[in-house]
Amino acid sequence: MSERIEIIAGDITRQNVDAIVNAANCSLLGGGGVDGAIHRAAGPELLAECRSLNGCETGKAKITRGYRLPAKFVIHTPGPVWHGGSRGEEALLASCYRSCLELASANGCRTIDFPSISTGVYHFPLEKASRIAVGVIAGYLAEHPEIERARMVCFDGRTEEHYKKALAELEVRL
Ligand code: ADP
């Protein structure tokens, strides 16, 4: 199933897919980084829908429409803040990816794009995060043929290199 996973460089707000994932915070009311970029590109209707959702717990996910984005849906997931690894951060990050994929399936999405959740201002180590992400995505896709393609959309070269390496390592093990 790993040929259905792709790592690309780019801006997630420009992707024409069924769903893009937002690395949100628990308020779901917008923030910096990719969250700010998604809200700016989607327009104020996105914030209005997010206000009606009453926030979201870390590791869970909620779905909205995409409004002015090319993507049909936005799946919002608050990633864990890295505190050194002793507060369940790895399991919570895995839960983010799994929850988003489950919502994508439940809403008929066949293509989904992820940003690198938690590795910006939340400081999750990139090497660990990339292994968790590709591991969860590959496991899910193996069981769920309805998802045709999942991509990691990387905003900088260092992030792209880590996810490419994690995917290559996974392919060796499969
Ligand atoms: P978090 O709070 O979950 O750490 P950030 O938004 O700070 O979220 O960072 C997550 C990742 O998203 C980082 O790798 C950052 O470079 C990246 N990013 C920022 N803007 C975009 C964008 N427009 N498209 C894709 N990735 C982005």
Side-chain angles (χ1 to χ4, degrees), residues 4-79:
R4 285 154 58 213
I5 306 176
E6 291 175 20
I7 314 298
I8 65 163
D11 178 343
I12 203 164
T13 67
R14 310 291 287 270
Q15 307 306 321
N16 188 0
V17 287
D18 292 329
I20 64 167
V21 170
N22 181 14
N25 57 54
C26 291
S27 76
L28 299 185
L29 299 181
V34 69
D35 195 2
I38 288 172
H39 276 275
R40 276 194 299 279
E45 299 92 339
L46 178 62
L47 184 58
E49 185 173 356
C50 284
R51 283 191 205 287
S52 73
L53 298 176
N54 295 312
C56 184
E57 285 172 45
T58 301
K60 305 258 171 76
K62 291 192 177 177
I63 192 165
T64 64
R65 290 166 55 199
Y67 300 98
R68 299 178 203 176
L69 291 165
K72 189 170 177 203
F73 296 107
V74 180
I75 300 176
H76 307 262
T77 186

Side-chain angles (χ1 to χ4, degrees), residues 84-106:
S86 59
R87 299 197 197 170
E89 293 97 324
E90 297 190 34
L92 285 167
L93 187 65
S95 173
C96 286
Y97 283 93
R98 204 170 300 111
S99 301
C100 289
L101 289 160
E102 285 167 358
L103 265 183
S105 290

Side-chain angles (χ1 to χ4, degrees), residues 110-141:
R110 291 185 295 198
T111 53
I112 179 170
D113 280 4
F114 289 91
S116 178
I117 299 166
S118 283
T119 68
V121 297
Y122 283 2
H123 291 302
F124 203 108
L126 196 42
E127 189 168 344
K128 277 190 204 298
S130 58
R131 287 182 181 154
I132 291 166
V134 299
V136 171
I137 294 170
Y140 189 88
L141 264 50

